[in-house]
mmCIF file of all heavy atoms in Angstrom:
data_model
loop_
_atom_site.group_PDB
_atom_site.id
_atom_site.type_symbol
_atom_site.label_atom_id
_atom_site.label_comp_id
_atom_site.label_asym_id
_atom_site.label_seq_id
_atom_site.Cartn_x
_atom_site.Cartn_y
_atom_site.Cartn_z
ATOM 1 N N TYR A 1 177.310 -52.917 161.487
ATOM 2 C CA TYR A 1 178.330 -53.888 161.887
ATOM 3 C C TYR A 1 178.404 -55.051 160.903
ATOM 4 O O TYR A 1 179.479 -55.588 160.634
ATOM 5 C CB TYR A 1 178.036 -54.428 163.283
ATOM 6 C CG TYR A 1 178.359 -53.464 164.392
ATOM 7 C CD1 TYR A 1 177.487 -53.301 165.458
ATOM 8 C CD2 TYR A 1 179.530 -52.706 164.381
ATOM 9 C CE1 TYR A 1 177.772 -52.413 166.488
ATOM 10 C CE2 TYR A 1 179.818 -51.820 165.398
ATOM 11 C CZ TYR A 1 178.942 -51.677 166.453
ATOM 12 O OH TYR A 1 179.222 -50.797 167.466
ATOM 13 N N LEU A 2 177.236 -55.432 160.377
ATOM 14 C CA LEU A 2 177.194 -56.557 159.447
ATOM 15 C C LEU A 2 178.047 -56.276 158.217
ATOM 16 O O LEU A 2 178.717 -57.173 157.691
ATOM 17 C CB LEU A 2 175.744 -56.831 159.040
ATOM 18 C CG LEU A 2 175.458 -58.155 158.336
ATOM 19 C CD1 LEU A 2 175.924 -59.320 159.184
ATOM 20 C CD2 LEU A 2 173.971 -58.288 158.034
ATOM 21 N N GLU A 3 178.066 -55.031 157.767
ATOM 22 C CA GLU A 3 178.905 -54.674 156.622
ATOM 23 C C GLU A 3 180.379 -54.876 156.934
ATOM 24 O O GLU A 3 181.143 -55.357 156.087
ATOM 25 C CB GLU A 3 178.633 -53.219 156.233
ATOM 26 C CG GLU A 3 177.231 -52.985 155.675
ATOM 27 C CD GLU A 3 176.963 -51.515 155.422
ATOM 28 O OE1 GLU A 3 177.864 -50.689 155.705
ATOM 29 O OE2 GLU A 3 175.865 -51.182 154.935
ATOM 30 N N ASP A 4 180.799 -54.528 158.165
ATOM 31 C CA ASP A 4 182.193 -54.742 158.558
ATOM 32 C C ASP A 4 182.519 -56.229 158.614
ATOM 33 O O ASP A 4 183.610 -56.654 158.218
ATOM 34 C CB ASP A 4 182.469 -54.102 159.922
ATOM 35 C CG ASP A 4 182.461 -52.584 159.860
ATOM 36 O OD1 ASP A 4 182.697 -52.045 158.762
ATOM 37 O OD2 ASP A 4 182.225 -51.945 160.896
ATOM 38 N N PHE A 5 181.577 -57.032 159.115
ATOM 39 C CA PHE A 5 181.795 -58.475 159.201
ATOM 40 C C PHE A 5 181.972 -59.072 157.806
ATOM 41 O O PHE A 5 182.885 -59.861 157.565
ATOM 42 C CB PHE A 5 180.613 -59.146 159.909
ATOM 43 C CG PHE A 5 180.730 -59.150 161.407
ATOM 44 C CD1 PHE A 5 180.764 -57.969 162.124
ATOM 45 C CD2 PHE A 5 180.805 -60.335 162.106
ATOM 46 C CE1 PHE A 5 180.864 -57.958 163.499
ATOM 47 C CE2 PHE A 5 180.911 -60.348 163.489
ATOM 48 C CZ PHE A 5 180.937 -59.162 164.195
ATOM 49 N N LEU A 6 181.097 -58.693 156.882
ATOM 50 C CA LEU A 6 181.147 -59.251 155.525
ATOM 51 C C LEU A 6 182.446 -58.873 154.821
ATOM 52 O O LEU A 6 182.993 -59.658 154.040
ATOM 53 C CB LEU A 6 179.943 -58.767 154.713
ATOM 54 C CG LEU A 6 178.580 -59.306 155.158
ATOM 55 C CD1 LEU A 6 177.460 -58.644 154.372
ATOM 56 C CD2 LEU A 6 178.523 -60.816 154.993
ATOM 57 N N ALA A 7 182.964 -57.685 155.110
ATOM 58 C CA ALA A 7 184.202 -57.231 154.456
ATOM 59 C C ALA A 7 185.425 -58.005 154.931
ATOM 60 O O ALA A 7 186.453 -58.008 154.245
ATOM 61 C CB ALA A 7 184.403 -55.732 154.712
ATOM 62 N N GLU A 8 185.324 -58.675 156.086
ATOM 63 C CA GLU A 8 186.490 -59.362 156.648
ATOM 64 C C GLU A 8 186.340 -60.879 156.672
ATOM 65 O O GLU A 8 187.112 -61.566 157.339
ATOM 66 C CB GLU A 8 186.757 -58.854 158.075
ATOM 67 C CG GLU A 8 187.090 -57.387 158.165
ATOM 68 C CD GLU A 8 188.374 -57.031 157.426
ATOM 69 O OE1 GLU A 8 189.217 -57.942 157.227
ATOM 70 O OE2 GLU A 8 188.523 -55.858 157.036
ATOM 71 N N LEU A 9 185.367 -61.420 155.947
ATOM 72 C CA LEU A 9 185.144 -62.869 155.975
ATOM 73 C C LEU A 9 186.361 -63.637 155.473
ATOM 74 O O LEU A 9 186.671 -64.726 155.963
ATOM 75 C CB LEU A 9 183.919 -63.229 155.134
ATOM 76 C CG LEU A 9 182.555 -62.795 155.680
ATOM 77 C CD1 LEU A 9 181.443 -63.300 154.781
ATOM 78 C CD2 LEU A 9 182.352 -63.292 157.104
ATOM 79 N N GLU A 10 187.060 -63.108 154.483
ATOM 80 C CA GLU A 10 188.189 -63.823 153.908
ATOM 81 C C GLU A 10 189.404 -63.788 154.832
ATOM 82 O O GLU A 10 190.094 -64.795 155.001
ATOM 83 C CB GLU A 10 188.557 -63.231 152.547
ATOM 84 C CG GLU A 10 189.661 -64.001 151.843
ATOM 85 C CD GLU A 10 189.913 -63.483 150.439
ATOM 86 O OE1 GLU A 10 189.097 -62.676 149.949
ATOM 87 O OE2 GLU A 10 190.916 -63.894 149.836
ATOM 88 N N SER A 11 189.669 -62.640 155.443
ATOM 89 C CA SER A 11 190.854 -62.522 156.289
ATOM 90 C C SER A 11 190.624 -63.081 157.695
ATOM 91 O O SER A 11 191.565 -63.442 158.389
ATOM 92 C CB SER A 11 191.297 -61.059 156.382
ATOM 93 O OG SER A 11 190.287 -60.254 156.958
ATOM 94 N N ILE A 12 189.339 -63.142 158.138
ATOM 95 C CA ILE A 12 189.022 -63.689 159.464
ATOM 96 C C ILE A 12 187.949 -64.757 159.279
ATOM 97 O O ILE A 12 186.744 -64.495 159.440
ATOM 98 C CB ILE A 12 188.527 -62.592 160.429
ATOM 99 C CG1 ILE A 12 189.480 -61.396 160.425
ATOM 100 C CG2 ILE A 12 188.404 -63.151 161.854
ATOM 101 C CD1 ILE A 12 189.052 -60.269 161.352
ATOM 102 N N PRO A 13 188.349 -65.992 158.944
ATOM 103 C CA PRO A 13 187.365 -67.050 158.656
ATOM 104 C C PRO A 13 186.403 -67.331 159.806
ATOM 105 O O PRO A 13 185.303 -67.815 159.573
ATOM 106 C CB PRO A 13 188.250 -68.269 158.375
ATOM 107 C CG PRO A 13 189.569 -67.701 157.950
ATOM 108 C CD PRO A 13 189.735 -66.431 158.734
ATOM 109 N N ALA A 14 186.795 -67.025 161.033
ATOM 110 C CA ALA A 14 185.912 -67.293 162.172
ATOM 111 C C ALA A 14 184.599 -66.530 162.050
ATOM 112 O O ALA A 14 183.564 -66.967 162.567
ATOM 113 C CB ALA A 14 186.618 -66.913 163.479
ATOM 114 N N LEU A 15 184.619 -65.381 161.352
ATOM 115 C CA LEU A 15 183.401 -64.586 161.200
ATOM 116 C C LEU A 15 182.408 -65.247 160.253
ATOM 117 O O LEU A 15 181.252 -64.845 160.192
ATOM 118 C CB LEU A 15 183.751 -63.181 160.691
ATOM 119 C CG LEU A 15 184.645 -62.329 161.594
ATOM 120 C CD1 LEU A 15 184.895 -60.970 160.960
ATOM 121 C CD2 LEU A 15 184.026 -62.167 162.974
ATOM 122 N N ALA A 16 182.869 -66.238 159.498
ATOM 123 C CA ALA A 16 181.990 -66.925 158.549
ATOM 124 C C ALA A 16 181.627 -68.323 159.038
ATOM 125 O O ALA A 16 181.071 -69.114 158.282
ATOM 126 C CB ALA A 16 182.667 -67.016 157.183
ATOM 127 N N SER A 17 181.939 -68.625 160.287
ATOM 128 C CA SER A 17 181.707 -69.979 160.788
ATOM 129 C C SER A 17 180.323 -70.115 161.402
ATOM 130 O O SER A 17 179.664 -69.137 161.738
ATOM 131 C CB SER A 17 182.763 -70.328 161.841
ATOM 132 O OG SER A 17 182.497 -69.637 163.047
ATOM 133 N N SER A 18 179.902 -71.376 161.565
ATOM 134 C CA SER A 18 178.611 -71.653 162.193
ATOM 135 C C SER A 18 178.664 -71.412 163.694
ATOM 136 O O SER A 18 177.627 -71.415 164.356
ATOM 137 C CB SER A 18 178.203 -73.108 161.920
ATOM 138 O OG SER A 18 179.185 -74.003 162.435
ATOM 139 N N GLY A 19 179.852 -71.197 164.237
ATOM 140 C CA GLY A 19 179.986 -70.958 165.672
ATOM 141 C C GLY A 19 179.743 -69.529 166.076
ATOM 142 O O GLY A 19 179.746 -69.202 167.270
ATOM 143 N N LEU A 20 179.512 -68.644 165.108
ATOM 144 C CA LEU A 20 179.292 -67.229 165.412
ATOM 145 C C LEU A 20 177.800 -66.970 165.597
ATOM 146 O O LEU A 20 177.006 -67.171 164.680
ATOM 147 C CB LEU A 20 179.849 -66.349 164.291
ATOM 148 C CG LEU A 20 179.754 -64.839 164.528
ATOM 149 C CD1 LEU A 20 180.631 -64.427 165.704
ATOM 150 C CD2 LEU A 20 180.166 -64.070 163.275
ATOM 151 N N ASN A 21 177.424 -66.512 166.778
ATOM 152 C CA ASN A 21 176.021 -66.238 167.087
ATOM 153 C C ASN A 21 175.701 -64.780 166.778
ATOM 154 O O ASN A 21 176.148 -63.883 167.483
ATOM 155 C CB ASN A 21 175.741 -66.539 168.564
ATOM 156 C CG ASN A 21 174.305 -66.229 168.948
ATOM 157 O OD1 ASN A 21 173.435 -66.076 168.093
ATOM 158 N ND2 ASN A 21 174.057 -66.128 170.242
ATOM 159 N N LEU A 22 174.922 -64.553 165.734
ATOM 160 C CA LEU A 22 174.510 -63.201 165.347
ATOM 161 C C LEU A 22 173.104 -62.878 165.851
ATOM 162 O O LEU A 22 172.629 -61.763 165.656
ATOM 163 C CB LEU A 22 174.554 -63.043 163.819
ATOM 164 C CG LEU A 22 175.934 -63.180 163.172
ATOM 165 C CD1 LEU A 22 175.814 -63.050 161.664
ATOM 166 C CD2 LEU A 22 176.889 -62.142 163.717
ATOM 167 N N GLY A 23 172.449 -63.827 166.510
ATOM 168 C CA GLY A 23 171.116 -63.593 167.033
ATOM 169 C C GLY A 23 170.086 -63.446 165.916
ATOM 170 O O GLY A 23 170.421 -63.279 164.750
ATOM 171 N N LYS A 24 168.822 -63.507 166.303
ATOM 172 C CA LYS A 24 167.731 -63.277 165.351
ATOM 173 C C LYS A 24 167.132 -61.892 165.504
ATOM 174 O O LYS A 24 166.572 -61.342 164.566
ATOM 175 C CB LYS A 24 166.642 -64.343 165.536
ATOM 176 C CG LYS A 24 167.099 -65.756 165.184
ATOM 177 C CD LYS A 24 165.967 -66.751 165.346
ATOM 178 C CE LYS A 24 166.424 -68.159 164.975
ATOM 179 N NZ LYS A 24 165.326 -69.161 165.137
ATOM 180 N N VAL A 25 167.258 -61.342 166.711
ATOM 181 C CA VAL A 25 166.789 -59.984 166.992
ATOM 182 C C VAL A 25 167.869 -59.285 167.819
ATOM 183 O O VAL A 25 168.705 -59.935 168.445
ATOM 184 C CB VAL A 25 165.445 -60.006 167.753
ATOM 185 C CG1 VAL A 25 164.326 -60.489 166.864
ATOM 186 C CG2 VAL A 25 165.542 -60.877 168.989
ATOM 187 N N PRO A 26 167.893 -57.940 167.831
ATOM 188 C CA PRO A 26 168.965 -57.208 168.506
ATOM 189 C C PRO A 26 169.169 -57.585 169.963
ATOM 190 O O PRO A 26 170.314 -57.669 170.430
ATOM 191 C CB PRO A 26 168.535 -55.742 168.366
ATOM 192 C CG PRO A 26 167.740 -55.699 167.104
ATOM 193 C CD PRO A 26 167.010 -57.003 167.089
ATOM 194 N N TYR A 27 168.081 -57.841 170.712
ATOM 195 C CA TYR A 27 168.255 -58.062 172.142
ATOM 196 C C TYR A 27 168.892 -59.422 172.461
ATOM 197 O O TYR A 27 169.203 -59.710 173.614
ATOM 198 C CB TYR A 27 166.930 -57.910 172.892
ATOM 199 C CG TYR A 27 165.853 -58.907 172.543
ATOM 200 C CD1 TYR A 27 165.878 -60.207 173.041
ATOM 201 C CD2 TYR A 27 164.783 -58.538 171.737
ATOM 202 C CE1 TYR A 27 164.891 -61.116 172.727
ATOM 203 C CE2 TYR A 27 163.784 -59.438 171.425
ATOM 204 C CZ TYR A 27 163.839 -60.727 171.921
ATOM 205 O OH TYR A 27 162.853 -61.621 171.604
ATOM 206 N N GLN A 28 169.081 -60.272 171.446
ATOM 207 C CA GLN A 28 169.734 -61.555 171.687
ATOM 208 C C GLN A 28 171.257 -61.429 171.701
ATOM 209 O O GLN A 28 171.956 -62.397 171.993
ATOM 210 C CB GLN A 28 169.308 -62.569 170.620
ATOM 211 C CG GLN A 28 167.862 -63.040 170.767
ATOM 212 C CD GLN A 28 167.487 -64.084 169.737
ATOM 213 O OE1 GLN A 28 168.122 -64.203 168.696
ATOM 214 N NE2 GLN A 28 166.446 -64.851 170.030
ATOM 215 N N LEU A 29 171.767 -60.260 171.385
ATOM 216 C CA LEU A 29 173.205 -60.027 171.404
ATOM 217 C C LEU A 29 173.547 -59.120 172.568
ATOM 218 O O LEU A 29 172.817 -58.195 172.901
ATOM 219 C CB LEU A 29 173.680 -59.376 170.098
ATOM 220 C CG LEU A 29 173.490 -60.205 168.820
ATOM 221 C CD1 LEU A 29 173.960 -59.412 167.612
ATOM 222 C CD2 LEU A 29 174.242 -61.517 168.907
ATOM 223 N N ARG A 30 174.703 -59.404 173.176
ATOM 224 C CA ARG A 30 175.166 -58.525 174.245
ATOM 225 C C ARG A 30 175.432 -57.140 173.673
ATOM 226 O O ARG A 30 175.859 -56.988 172.535
ATOM 227 C CB ARG A 30 176.460 -59.069 174.861
ATOM 228 C CG ARG A 30 176.271 -60.321 175.698
ATOM 229 C CD ARG A 30 177.603 -60.856 176.152
ATOM 230 N NE ARG A 30 178.351 -59.881 176.919
ATOM 231 C CZ ARG A 30 178.299 -59.762 178.242
ATOM 232 N NH1 ARG A 30 177.527 -60.568 178.935
ATOM 233 N NH2 ARG A 30 179.005 -58.858 178.872
ATOM 234 N N GLY A 31 175.204 -56.106 174.473
ATOM 235 C CA GLY A 31 175.461 -54.748 174.016
ATOM 236 C C GLY A 31 174.924 -53.744 175.006
ATOM 237 O O GLY A 31 174.256 -54.088 175.975
ATOM 238 N N SER A 32 175.225 -52.497 174.760
ATOM 239 C CA SER A 32 174.757 -51.445 175.669
ATOM 240 C C SER A 32 174.739 -50.118 174.941
ATOM 241 O O SER A 32 175.431 -49.915 173.952
ATOM 242 C CB SER A 32 175.678 -51.356 176.891
ATOM 243 O OG SER A 32 176.995 -51.020 176.490
ATOM 244 N N TRP A 33 173.913 -49.213 175.458
ATOM 245 C CA TRP A 33 173.896 -47.854 174.926
ATOM 246 C C TRP A 33 175.028 -47.070 175.568
ATOM 247 O O TRP A 33 175.210 -47.091 176.777
ATOM 248 C CB TRP A 33 172.563 -47.174 175.253
ATOM 249 C CG TRP A 33 171.436 -47.703 174.438
ATOM 250 C CD1 TRP A 33 170.509 -48.618 174.819
ATOM 251 C CD2 TRP A 33 171.114 -47.357 173.095
ATOM 252 N NE1 TRP A 33 169.628 -48.867 173.800
ATOM 253 C CE2 TRP A 33 169.981 -48.107 172.732
ATOM 254 C CE3 TRP A 33 171.686 -46.499 172.156
ATOM 255 C CZ2 TRP A 33 169.403 -48.012 171.468
ATOM 256 C CZ3 TRP A 33 171.099 -46.415 170.907
ATOM 257 C CH2 TRP A 33 169.974 -47.158 170.565
ATOM 258 N N ASP A 34 175.806 -46.392 174.764
ATOM 259 C CA ASP A 34 176.945 -45.636 175.263
ATOM 260 C C ASP A 34 176.875 -44.206 174.762
ATOM 261 O O ASP A 34 176.475 -43.957 173.620
ATOM 262 C CB ASP A 34 178.274 -46.242 174.797
ATOM 263 C CG ASP A 34 178.446 -47.672 175.244
ATOM 264 O OD1 ASP A 34 178.190 -47.927 176.430
ATOM 265 O OD2 ASP A 34 178.828 -48.523 174.424
ATOM 266 N N ILE A 35 177.273 -43.280 175.605
ATOM 267 C CA ILE A 35 177.366 -41.893 175.177
ATOM 268 C C ILE A 35 178.632 -41.724 174.337
ATOM 269 O O ILE A 35 179.679 -42.228 174.671
ATOM 270 C CB ILE A 35 177.442 -40.952 176.396
ATOM 271 C CG1 ILE A 35 176.193 -41.153 177.264
ATOM 272 C CG2 ILE A 35 177.546 -39.505 175.962
ATOM 273 C CD1 ILE A 35 174.901 -40.875 176.548
ATOM 274 N N ALA A 36 178.525 -41.015 173.233
ATOM 275 C CA ALA A 36 179.684 -40.797 172.379
ATOM 276 C C ALA A 36 179.803 -39.311 172.066
ATOM 277 O O ALA A 36 178.953 -38.735 171.411
ATOM 278 C CB ALA A 36 179.550 -41.597 171.081
ATOM 279 N N LYS A 37 180.842 -38.705 172.560
ATOM 280 C CA LYS A 37 181.045 -37.276 172.354
ATOM 281 C C LYS A 37 182.525 -36.981 172.523
ATOM 282 O O LYS A 37 183.236 -37.670 173.237
ATOM 283 C CB LYS A 37 180.207 -36.446 173.349
ATOM 284 C CG LYS A 37 180.134 -34.949 173.008
ATOM 285 C CD LYS A 37 179.154 -34.267 173.936
ATOM 286 C CE LYS A 37 179.166 -32.759 173.726
ATOM 287 N NZ LYS A 37 178.728 -32.381 172.387
#
């Protein structure tokens, strides 16, 4: 995901702001395991 974020920093400045919480470890970000098929 970080690669996608870095690729869009210029077109979406909000992704490069100090207001974006990327967490320090995975469990600090909301998310869930999903089945994909």
Side-chain angles (χ1 to χ4, degrees):
Y1 285 137
L2 194 56
E3 293 175 359
D4 290 336
F5 274 63
L6 292 174
E8 298 297 337
L9 290 184
E10 184 174 349
S11 61
I12 310 180
L15 298 180
S17 74
S18 59
L20 183 65
N21 178 16
L22 297 178
K24 294 182 179 180
V25 290
Y27 64 78
Q28 289 182 339
L29 297 178
R30 289 175 58 92
S32 61
W33 287 100
D34 301 313
I35 301 301
K37 192 173 174 63

